Amino acid sequence: MELEITSYNNFFKMKGILNKRNLNVFKSEFNNVFEKVNALTISIENIEWMDKYGVTALAELHYEALSKNKKMSIIGLGCKDLYEHFKSDFAA
């Protein structure tokens, strides 16, 4: 399954698989997003699987939000690897 991203205002729904092969879809959708919005919500409820490149892409978007003093929320019970990444980042 490919990656689908739909949006309404500053709410984005991701569906499918986020991996190295389709990372360009993710990056083009979120390129300069914080120039347009102050807060962003991404639902990963329908993400079936994500590789390390997908996890890194979401982490980089999160760090961009922090550096630009913007708000970003990731919601849904999608990918366990993503939660493990952020859990280990904030546990230190």
Side-chain angles (χ1 to χ4, degrees), residues 3-62:
L3 177 66
E4 290 180 36
I5 302 174
T6 57
S7 65
Y8 181 76
N9 292 331
N10 61 344
F11 182 80
F12 292 81
K13 284 185 179 182
M14 294 179 29
K15 181 180 181 180
I17 295 171
L18 177 57
N19 61 16
K20 184 178 183 177
R21 201 177 91 212
N22 60 24
L23 206 54
N24 60 329
V25 174
F26 178 88
K27 289 189 175 194
S28 67
E29 183 70 42
F30 293 104
N31 186 36
N32 295 322
V33 70
F34 293 113
E35 305 301 322
K36 302 170 197 154
V37 300
N38 289 320
L40 174 68
T41 302
I42 300 173
S43 172
I44 61 167
E45 184 72 31
N46 294 313
I47 289 291
E48 295 173 17
W49 182 78
M50 167 181 322
D51 67 5
K52 68 179 184 176
Y53 298 98
V55 171
T56 300
L58 277 166
E60 287 173 353
L61 190 62
H62 176 253

Side-chain angles (χ1 to χ4, degrees), residues 55-73:
V55 171
T56 300
L58 277 166
E60 287 173 353
L61 190 62
H62 176 253
Y63 295 132
E64 180 183 350
L66 291 173
S67 70
K68 293 183 176 182
N69 203 25
K70 306 287 182 162
K71 295 179 182 176
M72 180 179 154
S73 301

